[in-house]
């Protein structure tokens, strides 16, 4: 457990440094002003990872992490305005760039499998993703309009 | 992710390469071009993915780096989820208000069956098409198909094929079409934000990222709705395909192949 926590802290810190650089270059937020928000996010992740390990339930750690983030930032939570203000300096897109960079390196190994797929699979796959995306958007649109939200 | 492999942080080669990719991608910045009435956004994350993929085939990246990169995607997604959490918190009253839409759009995942299954059958695919089109083929769905039909079944091959495509190109594809469709169609960006949560962290990040790029005035709403929808998909996706998606696909497949046989060459 202790070894795991150490590993998580080091890896999350590496990830945070790369994201802070992306946040600076891509979105003009100085690393120092984004640092407090980044530390909060890292702390939320750590808390979620530790809770997942400590509790006997088989719930993925992302569920705990999302819930902790939501609770800390709810309007009626004391101190939530600071959490929201600080973390708003960390741009969502600055976090996605490193994720996809690691993903690109990782999926290289699936490339040979991909090449073997054949054109029919690729056509179907495009429509699988398109079908889900459009289907969900159309239902959401109808319900949101019906409720008068948009 | 509970079994994060120890010692990955020592792979400095990997982290330096990723750092350089990210710096380079962010320096290029966001670009956009129009195709007809729609706008295609090229975001740094898309370059980062493609550069990373390209580098895999150079001596810069070895098998070891590629293996070590995998748990880091998961760890990066936890940070992303934490960020989404703190955006959802303040918008909670709004999300509760939009709850019915959020819940019902989960059924939109069935759109893949209606759109892709007839196409797969038309292209001459047999029972592979069941595995291919019953869902978006993320990990829980792959598990479901393997469990029900076995790894070496046509259904199993089908679901793996879509899984591989989604893994390699899902994020790029969703990133490219999300902004494009949102600018092309009259549907509201918030509807597309909800649709972005299809149960894959990287696809959601790419799709909602493009939406933010195209509609910056809705940034926080897009993050909040996409994030809430993705959490919902992650928790309900398996049951959705187990109870509705897969039985419906089976039924439609039988119907379509019988019609085809009955009508002959019509």
């Amino acid at each position: 457990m202790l070894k795991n926590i150490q590993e998580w802290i080091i890896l999350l810190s590496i990830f945070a440094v790369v994201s802070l650089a992306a946040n600076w270059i891509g979105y003009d937020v100085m690393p120092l002003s984004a640092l407090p928000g980044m530390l909060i996010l890292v702390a939320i992740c750590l808390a979620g990872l530790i809770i997942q390990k400590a509790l006997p339930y088989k719930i993925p750690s992302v569920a705990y992490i999302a819930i902790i983030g939501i609770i800390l930032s709810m309007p009626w939570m004391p101190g939530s305005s600071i959490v929201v203000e600080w973390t708003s300096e960390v741009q969502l897109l600055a976090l996605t760039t490193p994720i996809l960079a690691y993903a690109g390196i990782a999926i290289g190994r699936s490339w040979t499998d991909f090449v073997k797929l054949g054109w029919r699979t690729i056509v179907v796959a495009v429509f699988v993703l398109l079908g889900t995306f459009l289907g969900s958007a159309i239902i959401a649109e109808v319900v949101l309009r019906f409720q008068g939200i948009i | 992710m509970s079994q994060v492999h120890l010692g990955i942080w020592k792979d400095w080669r990997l982290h330096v390469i990723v750092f350089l990719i990210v710096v380079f991608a962010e320096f290029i910045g966001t670009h956009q071009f129009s195709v007809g009435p729609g706008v295609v956004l090229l975001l740094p994350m898309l370059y980062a993915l493609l550069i990373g993929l390209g580098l895999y085939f150079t001596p810069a990246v070895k098998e070891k780096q590629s293996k070590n990169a995998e748990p880091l995607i998961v760890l990066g997604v936890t940070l992303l989820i934490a960020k989404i959490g703190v955006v959802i918190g303040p918008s909670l009253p709004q999300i509760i208000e939009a709850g019915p839409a959020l819940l019902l759009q989960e059924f939109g995942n069935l759109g893949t069956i209606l759109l892709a299954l007839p196409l797969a059958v038309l292209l001459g695919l047999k029972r592979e098409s069941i595995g291919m089109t019953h869902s978006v083929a993320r990990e829980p769905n792959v598990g479901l198909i393997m469990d029900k039909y076995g790894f070496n079944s046509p259904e199993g091959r089908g679901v793996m094929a879509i899984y591989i495509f989604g893994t390699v190109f899902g994020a790029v594809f969703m990133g490219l079409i999300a902004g494009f469709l949102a600018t092309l169609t009259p549907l509201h960006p918030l509807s597309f934000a909800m649709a972005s949560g299809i149960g894959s962290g990287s696809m959601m990040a790419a799709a909602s990222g493009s939406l933010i790029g195209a509609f910056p005035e809705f940034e926080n709403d897009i993050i909040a709705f996409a994030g809430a929808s993705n959490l919902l998909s992650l928790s309900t996706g398996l049951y959705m395909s187990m109870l509705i998606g897969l039985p419906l696909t089976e039924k439609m497949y039988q119907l379509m192949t019988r019609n085809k046989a009955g009508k002959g060459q019509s």
Side-chain angles (χ1 to χ4, degrees), chain B residues 19-94:
Chain B
F19 184 80
L20 294 177
I21 293 175
V22 168
V23 167
F24 183 69
E26 293 290 352
F27 257 118
I28 306 174
T30 303
H31 293 272
Q32 61 178 71
F33 61 91
S34 315
V35 180
V39 175
V40 176
L41 273 177
L42 299 176
L43 294 166
M45 59 176 171
L46 300 181
Y47 320 139
L49 184 111
L50 294 175
I51 297 169
L53 179 59
L55 284 179
Y56 176 81
F57 299 100
T58 68
V61 173
K62 302 206 163 59
E63 183 90 12
K64 182 181 155 210
Q65 274 77 45
S66 177
K67 279 204 175 111
N68 284 346
E70 244 164 62
L72 276 152
I73 307 170
V74 185
L75 212 60
V77 170
T78 62
L79 259 184
L80 186 72
I81 300 279
K83 162 75 185 170
I84 291 169
V86 297
V87 178
I88 290 181
S91 332
L92 209 55
Q94 259 174 292

Side-chain angles (χ1 to χ4, degrees), chain A residues 7-8 11 15 26 45 53 61 73 87 90 97 100 102 104-105 108-109 114 120 128 130 132-133 136 141 147, chain B residues 1 5 7-9 15 26 53 56 66 70 75-76 83 86 89 97 105 109 112 123 136 177 188 191 195:
Chain A
E7 177 96 355
W8 287 329
L11 286 176
F15 209 95
C45 287
K53 259 269 151 100
S61 44
S73 61
T87 52
V90 181
T97 311
L100 292 194
Y102 280 112
I105 291 172
R109 284 180 303 140
F114 172 75
R120 289 190 300 185
V128 164
L130 211 58
T132 302
F133 191 57
S136 300
E141 179 86 11
Q147 288 183 286
Chain B
M1 123 198 27
H5 314 266
I8 288 175
W9 61 274
H15 305 304
E26 293 290 352
L53 179 59
Y56 176 81
S66 177
E70 244 164 62
L75 212 60
K83 162 75 185 170
V86 297
E97 200 193 342
Q105 60 84 29
N109 297 354
T112 182
L123 287 175
V136 279
I177 65 160
H188 198 275
S191 306

Side-chain angles (χ1 to χ4, degrees), chain B residues 12 37-38 161 213 220 224 238:
Chain B
W12 288 110
N220 277 353
L238 179 62

